[in-house]
Amino acid sequence: MTTPSKKLSSARLTQPTNAFVEEFTASVQFDQRLYQQDINGSIAHATMLSSVGILSEAERDQIIDGLNTIRGEIDNDQFEWSIAQEDVHMNIEARLISLIGEVGKKLHTGRSRNDQVATDIRLYLRDMASPISEQLTRLQTALLNVAEREADTILPGFTHLQTAQPVTFGHHMMAWYEMLCRDAERLEDCLKRINTLPLGAAALAGTTFAIDREQTAELLGFERICQNSLDAVSDRDFAIEFNSFASLLMMHLSRFSEELIIWSSAQFDFVDLGDAFCTGSSIMPQKKNPDVPELIRGKTSRVYGNLFNLFTLMKNQPLAYNKDNQEDKEPLFDTIDTLLGSLRVYADMMNAITVKPDNMRQAALRGYATATDLADYLVRKGVAFRDAHEVVGLSVAYGIKHQKDLSELSLAELQSFSDHITDDVFDVLTLEGSVAARDHLGGTAPNQVRKAIKKARQTLS
Ligand code: ARG
């Protein structure tokens, strides 16, 4: 980075800034990523200024041409960013003045960097919402495809990580799908508040010029306008909301990752993540490590950290703008990068996953997963649930002792625990019978899974 001699904002100061302070207080190293939004905001501002007679049309056109030239320079890596000009806003303005001369100095009329930066971040978040939502939809589609393929596949469902009742793998995938639907809703909801225009608030109190904020909002595609200038330049609650959405989404991915890690272990061996999503060990030749889900579980903590960073950044700030707010960008950018990367790799990984139905089935058989079905069966035969619970408890203890699943006990053996049992009991003791019987909205029956997938495909497209 170069250091041009003349600063845009230093006439009042008689001594030059300490060289390290200059570097310490600068943000251009990281906020240059806002250049597109900064230029778009400035073009809208200049257009509005000319329409209310503050700039002539010729001045407006010169400014817009200059800004577009600068956009091209930055796009093509031909722009010289300068630490002395502190941030993305002053770098672009200084370059505009050097490109088009005196008229460039008029752009900042009726505006401050305080409302400018708040506008830029909102525009940036709005722009990033599209790729995020695209990747989220890709992942949801991948889940639907796996769910469809494995609608009939049975695995043990767990509570306390102990075998509880059989469920279908499709149903299990659809649980994650539902969580991601709520994440998508949360993104959409917080966008309403992000998409509100701060420009016009100027430094903090508004401006003495007769500006037209409705026009600026319309030009930039903002749905609403911040109603109070002090609030407009100072609060970053919209950024915190965005990071909250991101944290919840990462929390879901992290939990899901935990399952994939467990399922891909030799002890469970329910799934194969695909070699492209695992790595070997430098010392143990037999290893195939689930690095991708592990890393996503790890990256979740970064996003939580960023959320707390932003919360803590805001909590002591008096109105209105304080330089503290310059610290909002790095956590936010990091959250966006982490989220985009995690969603992308997750969708790819789910597209490559293969499941091992035989191993899942064996695990479900080992765990007396149909015990509740036997209890429900007895209730239907007139036994009170508590008594049925006891009968089944005794049957399971007998099965454990003789190393047999409930479905492997003979009718005579079963009848020794209750004379309400007849030979139709075997319909409910099989894994297939168990899942098929839960055939209501939200239940695990393959039939219901297929219905849920169909409904999901309609809403997703
Ligand atoms: N770089 C600053 C930021 O990121 C821009 C606003 C600076 N405003 C000021 N009054 N110093 O927040």
Side-chain angles (χ1 to χ4, degrees):
M1 299 219 185
T2 56
T3 309
S5 49
K6 183 136 177 19
K7 287 197 187 191
L8 287 185
S9 60
S10 60
R12 182 209 178 280
L13 308 176
T14 50
Q15 303 292 318
T17 322
N18 169 299
F20 182 63
V21 169
E22 189 165 88
E23 196 184 319
F24 186 75
T25 53
S27 55
V28 65
Q29 309 90 315
F30 49 85
D31 68 13
Q32 52 181 271
R33 110 149 60 181
L34 297 172
Y35 78 94
Q36 293 285 8
Q37 291 73 21
D38 195 70
I39 289 172
N40 292 342
S42 288
I43 290 176
H45 182 64
T47 307
M48 180 278 289
L49 287 180
S50 91
S51 86
V52 298
I54 295 171
L55 290 179
S56 72
E57 287 184 3
E59 289 171 329
R60 173 199 64 197
D61 292 346
Q62 265 180 287
I63 288 175
I64 294 179
D65 284 351
L67 287 168
N68 280 326
T69 303
I70 294 170
R71 195 199 303 273
E73 289 175 352
I74 304 176
D75 281 345
N76 297 311
D77 244 343
Q78 284 160 353
F79 189 89
E80 282 198 43
W81 297 101
S82 145
I83 292 274
Q85 297 298 354
E86 196 179 318
D87 55 26
V88 60
H89 326 290
M90 307 259 256
N91 267 270
I92 291 176
E93 195 182 333
R95 176 67 185 137
L96 183 69
I97 294 166
S98 80
L99 259 181
I100 67 171
E102 288 301 301
V103 61
K105 296 180 179 170
K106 294 188 174 183
L107 170 64
H108 212 49
T109 312
R111 180 177 84 167
S112 149
R113 273 186 300 157
N114 297 351
D115 56 347
Q116 190 178 354
V117 69
T119 303
D120 290 3
I121 307 168
R122 286 170 183 268
L123 286 173
Y124 185 74
L125 279 177
R126 202 181 72 187
D127 289 346
M128 295 317 287
S130 311
I132 289 172
S133 131
E134 238 164 70
Q135 290 299 335
L136 189 51
T137 306
R138 267 189 74 225
L139 174 55
Q140 288 180 297
T141 308
L143 290 182
L144 290 180
N145 293 340
V146 179
E148 191 147 60
R149 213 167 60 219
E150 310 296 341
D152 297 291
T153 303
I154 295 175
L155 77 160
F158 299 97
T159 60
H160 316 270
L161 202 57
Q162 307 285 325
T163 298
Q165 292 170 356
V167 294
T168 51
F169 197 77
H171 190 55
H172 198 114
M173 288 300 105
M174 291 305 285
W176 292 116
Y177 174 85
E178 284 293 320
M179 295 180 224
L180 297 182
C181 284
R182 293 195 294 278
D183 290 320
E185 265 177 45
R186 270 185 282 270
L187 173 60
E188 203 149 297
D189 190 65
C190 81
L191 266 177
K192 284 187 231 155
R193 285 170 292 280
I194 288 171
N195 206 13
T196 306
L197 173 79
L199 266 186
L204 75 164
T207 171
T208 56
F209 296 98
I211 56 169
D212 179 354
R213 297 186 70 203
E214 272 84 14
Q215 188 188 142
T216 315
E218 200 177 314
L219 288 169
L220 289 171
F222 280 106
E223 276 163 24
R224 299 188 289 189
I225 296 173
C226 297
Q227 298 293 303
N228 179 292
S229 62
L230 296 165
D231 173 38
V233 291
S234 72
D235 206 353
R236 295 292 183 266
D237 58 353
F238 64 91
I240 297 176
E241 252 188 279
F242 177 85
N243 211 134
S244 306
F245 139 75
S247 300
L248 282 165
L249 174 46
M250 288 302 293
M251 182 266 288
H252 287 148
L253 295 187
S254 183
R255 290 187 67 193
F256 193 3
S257 295
E258 177 71 7
E259 294 201 325
L260 294 178
I261 293 161
I262 293 173
W263 289 347
S264 61
S265 70
Q267 287 68 23
F268 271 73
D269 203 17
F270 283 3
V271 297
D272 187 317
L273 292 179
D275 287 359
F277 298 90
C278 297
T279 59
S281 152
S282 58
I283 174 168
M284 296 167 282
Q286 85 282 14
K287 293 283 280 223
K288 175 170 161 182
N289 295 326
D291 287 38
V292 169
E294 284 177 322
L295 205 49
I296 283 169
R297 195 175 55 182
K299 281 182 187 291
T300 302
S301 56
R302 290 169 81 106
V303 176
Y304 290 1
N306 293 335
L307 177 64
F308 262 78
N309 190 332
L310 293 172
F311 266 131
T312 313
L313 181 66
M314 284 315 301
K315 74 182 272 292
N316 288 339
Q317 287 193 48
L319 294 180
Y321 176 87
N322 301 283
K323 183 78 167 177
D324 312 40
N325 277 343
Q326 183 162 291
E327 287 287 309
D328 62 356
K329 289 165 206 65
E330 286 166 293
L332 208 49
F333 294 161
D334 184 66
T335 288
I336 291 169
D337 294 345
T338 307
L339 198 58
L340 272 173
S342 304
L343 285 169
R344 179 181 158 180
V345 75
Y346 228 100
D348 292 343
M349 183 172 66
M350 290 316 290
N351 280 328
I353 198 171
T354 45
V355 308
K356 302 182 173 178
D358 290 344
N359 295 350
M360 292 183 185
R361 191 181 176 77
Q362 286 313 315
L365 288 174
R366 268 197 310 275
Y368 298 93
T370 56
T372 317
D373 297 86
L374 180 55
D376 288 353
Y377 167 89
L378 288 166
V379 168
R380 281 195 296 274
K381 299 269 173 168
V383 181
F385 183 79
R386 269 299 143 230
D387 294 334
H389 191 279
E390 193 184 334
V391 167
V392 181
L394 294 171
S395 315
V396 168
Y398 177 89
I400 292 171
K401 193 164 159 211
H402 295 88
Q403 295 189 355
K404 285 183 183 175
D405 179 54
L406 290 178
S407 61
E408 291 165 339
L409 299 182
S410 69
L411 185 57
E413 282 172 310
L414 286 165
Q415 282 172 336
S416 71
F417 299 104
S418 167
D419 49 17
H420 287 91
I421 297 177
T422 53
D423 63 359
D424 59 352
V425 70
F426 294 103
D427 297 342
V428 308
L429 287 185
T430 61
L431 297 177
E432 284 71 19
S434 170
V435 295
R438 287 165 171 80
D439 192 8
H440 55 79
L441 178 73
T444 198
N447 189 30
Q448 289 298 330
V449 173
R450 293 204 171 84
K451 278 190 191 165
I453 295 168
K454 195 166 162 214
K455 209 173 0 162
R457 288 207 196 276
Q458 277 158 6
T459 37
L460 203 58
S461 58

